[in-house]
Amino acid sequence: MAYLIDRRLQGKNKSAVNRERFLRRYKAQIKDAVGRAIKGRSITDIENGEKVSIPVKDVNEPSFGHAHGGVWEVVNPGNQEYQKGDQIARPKGGGGSGRGKAGNSDQTTEDDFIFELSREEFMNYFFEDLELPNLVKTQLTATTDFKTQRAGYTVSGTPSNIHVLRSLRGALGRRIAVGGPSRKALAEAEMELENLLENEVPLDDFRVVELKKKIHHLHTRLLAIPFIDPFDLRYSNRVKVPKPMTQAVMFCIMDVSGSMDEQRKDTAKRFFILLYLFLKRVYDKIDVVFIRHHTAAAEVDEHEFFHSRESGGTVVSSALNLLNKIIDERYGAGQWNSYVAQASDGDNWDNDSVLCRQLLVNTIMPKVQYYTYVEITDGPPQNLWEQYAQVPDHHRHFAMQKIVTPADIYPVFRELFKKQPK
């Protein structure tokens, strides 16, 4: 009989297969947790992981047991309290999920199983509802890379980074500087000794003996100068720098009239998140401005933008006027790349839609890099759609599409941001 022993070292990701199997098994609970996280999170905080809680009853593993079958009578040793036929009352307790009121017994309960999704896993579940292709998933979840570039030389570093030429050049300069006076004195002493010997001065003459001692001392002094000293070592200095990026501002405009229900708002939020992730790949600094409107427009924070219960009629021009004011006051002078995303169900006052088109064509579009309008409805086009359809005739960087379900978001997003012909 032969035995095979696998002595290969296990990698750091040895439990990755088990984790993937676990995620597949509890996919429904995880998707619910991701959906709740998307509703409660900020757009700028969407890329972090998430803690997921799974009830204990769902993580129990199946087990096999032996069935007794038939009628069994068992006598347990040490039973001094109960007789045959006694009925034992069920003990009182608080339950088995770790929640609720405390019981009056010594029963122990188990808490829910909690684990944390990584950033990539969370983003994959978010993109799954949007029906993104795998290529786009990889691009949007990739972390920012830094490039390494040379930044001169430094006096400290690792041996592998020693710059030999620069170190030898420094050593040569040091030897020349340190030994300069000694070499000059040596040359003068040798010339004086040569003159004395040419004049036939005896070798035992005091002057000759002193010059020979001085020459020997100067030679010894020059030889004592080290060829290379730790002070001479120079190391190549390399630093990591981010790729140069500019700054951008993203304007989120949403209709919060009575016809915009929670489902439409959730769809709009997913579209805003996808636009933010797209801009995050291009720009290092991004400001996000939220403008909500019904009959009047207001700049609000993100929580009020998505969760405020205030509603009313629809006057879209109020939001466009506020947008134009914010651009002029805070994001003008050509220092910001402005992107606008507007979400609505298409309802608007008839006369106001004409005013909206005029504001876009004459005032707003020359100030922004791109303007996207998505209409979240499954009905026929409204008057706002008909007026907005005339804007691309004047400005090519205006795009508009319809969204019915969250699965339509990415195809619409890809259509909105496709490369334009030159």
Side-chain angles (χ1 to χ4, degrees):
M1 181 179 296
Y3 295 93
L4 297 178
I5 301 176
D6 187 1
R7 298 187 183 276
R8 293 176 296 181
L9 297 177
Q10 295 184 358
K12 293 185 294 184
N13 296 326
K14 59 184 179 181
S15 61
V17 177
N18 294 333
R19 183 175 179 85
E20 292 179 1
R21 187 184 300 114
F22 178 84
L23 295 178
R24 289 196 304 268
R25 179 177 178 182
Y26 300 103
K27 185 175 181 179
Q29 292 92 330
I30 295 174
K31 288 187 66 175
D32 290 342
V34 171
R36 292 192 299 269
I38 292 173
K39 291 182 180 180
R41 277 191 184 187
S42 168
I43 289 179
T44 58
D45 192 37
I46 198 64
E47 293 183 277
N48 295 330
E50 176 67 17
K51 289 186 177 181
V52 179
S53 176
I54 298 179
V56 175
K57 62 182 181 64
D58 292 338
V59 297
N60 290 334
E61 295 290 339
S63 59
F64 291 96
H66 298 283
H68 289 283
V71 178
W72 288 67
E73 291 186 2
V74 179
V75 178
N76 294 318
N79 181 17
Q80 299 179 355
E81 182 177 355
Y82 299 105
Q83 302 294 328
K84 182 177 180 181
D86 290 346
Q87 294 183 356
I88 304 175
R90 178 177 297 179
K92 298 180 180 179
S97 62
R99 296 190 295 263
K101 298 180 179 180
N104 56 0
S105 64
D106 295 334
Q107 288 182 332
T108 58
T109 58
E110 296 185 37
D111 293 332
D112 293 347
F113 177 73
I114 299 176
F115 72 100
E116 188 165 352
L117 286 176
S118 66
R119 172 179 177 269
E120 287 75 15
E121 291 169 345
F122 180 84
M123 296 303 294
N124 285 335
Y125 279 100
F126 168 68
F127 292 144
E128 186 177 19
D129 290 339
L130 303 182
E131 298 187 359
L132 292 173
N134 292 330
L135 176 62
V136 177
K137 289 183 183 180
T138 304
Q139 290 176 346
L140 293 182
T141 57
T143 56
T144 304
D145 292 333
F146 291 84
K147 65 177 182 179
T148 302
Q149 69 178 22
R150 297 184 61 178
Y153 305 94
T154 180
V155 296
S156 61
T158 59
S160 60
N161 288 333
I162 291 179
H163 196 279
V164 178
L165 181 61
R166 183 57 66 119
S167 300
L168 292 178
R169 186 183 300 174
L172 178 61
R174 176 185 53 80
R175 293 199 305 272
I176 292 174
V178 173
S182 298
R183 274 189 292 271
K184 183 178 180 181
L186 177 62
E188 293 174 354
E190 289 178 344
M191 183 175 296
E192 186 178 354
L193 178 61
E194 185 179 354
N195 292 333
L196 291 176
L197 294 178
E198 288 179 354
N199 294 330
E200 297 181 354
V201 177
L203 296 177
D204 57 350
D205 187 85
F206 173 78
R207 292 174 297 172
V208 174
V209 173
E210 289 297 326
L211 285 174
K212 287 185 177 180
K213 289 182 179 180
K214 183 178 181 180
I215 290 172
H216 177 72
H217 173 72
L218 292 174
H219 273 294
T220 304
R221 187 172 182 178
L222 289 173
L223 292 174
I225 300 176
F227 179 78
I228 191 167
D229 190 83
F231 175 78
D232 306 323
L233 296 179
R234 294 296 181 268
Y235 301 86
S236 298
N237 187 28
R238 295 180 175 86
V239 295
K240 290 184 177 181
V241 295
K243 296 180 180 179
M245 297 181 183
T246 54
Q247 55 190 3
V249 56
M250 171 182 166
F251 293 94
C252 300
I253 303 177
M254 186 171 65
D255 177 14
V256 293
S257 60
S259 56
M260 282 287 288
D261 55 16
E262 289 299 324
Q263 183 178 359
R264 287 192 173 100
K265 290 181 181 179
D266 182 67
T267 303
K269 183 174 183 179
R270 291 171 182 262
F271 177 77
F272 293 144
I273 289 173
L274 198 58
L275 176 59
Y276 176 80
L277 293 176
F278 175 77
L279 296 178
K280 193 67 176 176
R281 295 179 59 243
V282 183
Y283 298 99
D284 186 32
K285 179 182 179 181
I286 300 178
D287 281 2
V288 184
V289 178
F290 298 97
I291 299 176
R292 65 195 308 270
H293 71 91
H294 39 83
T295 55
E299 181 183 0
V300 296
D301 57 24
E302 185 174 355
H303 183 270
E304 186 177 355
F305 183 76
F306 289 108
H307 302 289
S308 177
R309 298 183 179 274
E310 182 183 0
S311 62
T314 307
V315 180
V316 179
S317 62
S318 61
L320 299 183
N321 285 320
L322 180 58
L323 168 66
N324 183 53
K325 179 181 177 182
I326 294 175
I327 292 178
D328 291 340
E329 293 179 352
R330 287 151 47 188
Y331 300 102
Q335 298 180 356
W336 291 81
N337 298 292
S338 301
Y339 293 84
V340 184
Q342 180 182 356
S344 174
D345 61 351
D347 290 339
N348 193 26
W349 290 359
D350 294 339
N351 296 333
D352 188 66
S353 297
V354 178
L355 179 59
C356 292
R357 175 179 57 81
Q358 295 174 352
L359 282 172
L360 285 175
V361 173
N362 301 325
T363 306
I364 295 177
M365 294 307 300
K367 301 178 182 179
V368 301
Q369 270 64 40
Y370 211 79
Y371 195 110
T372 60
Y373 170 70
V374 290
E375 192 166 291
I376 309 173
T377 180
D378 54 355
Q382 303 294 323
N383 52 14
L384 184 62
W385 177 275
E386 295 174 353
Q387 293 296 325
Y388 274 13
Q390 303 177 31
V391 178
D393 297 336
H394 304 274
H395 300 280
R396 294 172 53 187
H397 50 284
F398 180 88
M400 52 190 297
Q401 290 289 335
K402 280 191 175 184
I403 294 177
V404 179
T405 63
D408 299 331
I409 293 178
Y410 176 70
V412 166
F413 185 85
R414 181 175 56 186
E415 182 67 22
L416 292 174
F417 290 89
K418 66 182 180 181
K419 291 184 178 181
Q420 300 292 338
K422 296 181 180 180

